[in-house]
Amino acid sequence: MKLLIDADYIVYKACAGAEEDIDWGDDVITVVSRFSDAMKLVERDLTRIKNEFMWDTPTLILFFSDSRNFRKKIYPEYKGHRNRKKPCGYRKVISLLAERYEVIRLPELEADDAMGIYATANVGNIICSPDKDMRQIPGKLYDMKELTTIDPVEGAKWHLIQTLAGDQTDGYSGVPGIGVKRAVSLFEEHGYTWKTVVKAFEDKELTEDDALLNARLARILTYTDYDPIEHTVIPWTPDANYRADDGAVIQAEKA
């Protein structure tokens, strides 16, 4: 068994925690960091995760986001508010981790997408991430608190829910005025279908193109959404009769 770990989250948190401000006076403040402290924090978190699954002596695979992001090509404002530079030591920590663990970073993809692709192409492993987006991916998910199993239909439904609700953290809005609870209510009443999605957008004087843009921004990639030869994303495109509980089921298979 392999643990597919969102290492972006862990390394960023550790490096930020190891930073320290030094106020020299005269309007001068510098930021310093002790690299060994950052590494200790990272290794502590990785060990804690691994210890949750010691009954199966798991192998760790660390996933990182690429510096480029395909979502910015279709929506330049995606995560546009996240302008803070990486904390001190971030890239150096990743370089050292690559000597100790298997590290995966796919061109123009976020760590979430790389995990989604790997998990659906190689069944039987466990995604370890606190990000609610990973509820789209069928299989086992450890959210750093508990282990749950996501079935394919539940994952497909969550994608549609996020399409309507949007994600302010990532900078796409979904349907104005609709959050997760309202989205669930709409789908439970009208069905988890693409028609329900489009109608919700049109009711707010938006278009099906707006709906499709949000759906593509919301979607965490699976192995069916990515061409591993060309290293390109295959855009998610539903037909008019798309249902999350019929025909959207991902048939994951071992590589």
Side-chain angles (χ1 to χ4, degrees), residues 48 58 60 64 77-79 103 105 111 151 178 191 202 218 223:
R48 179 181 61 80
L60 275 56
F64 291 95
E77 291 81 7
Y78 182 76
K79 290 188 175 179
V103 166
R105 181 194 284 115
D151 68 53
I178 292 184
E202 290 179 343
Y223 80 99

Side-chain angles (χ1 to χ4, degrees), residues 75-90:
Y75 188 63
E77 291 81 7
Y78 182 76
K79 290 188 175 179
H81 60 289
R82 297 189 184 185
N83 295 319
R84 187 183 186 279
K85 71 176 184 64
K86 300 296 186 184
C88 292
Y90 182 84

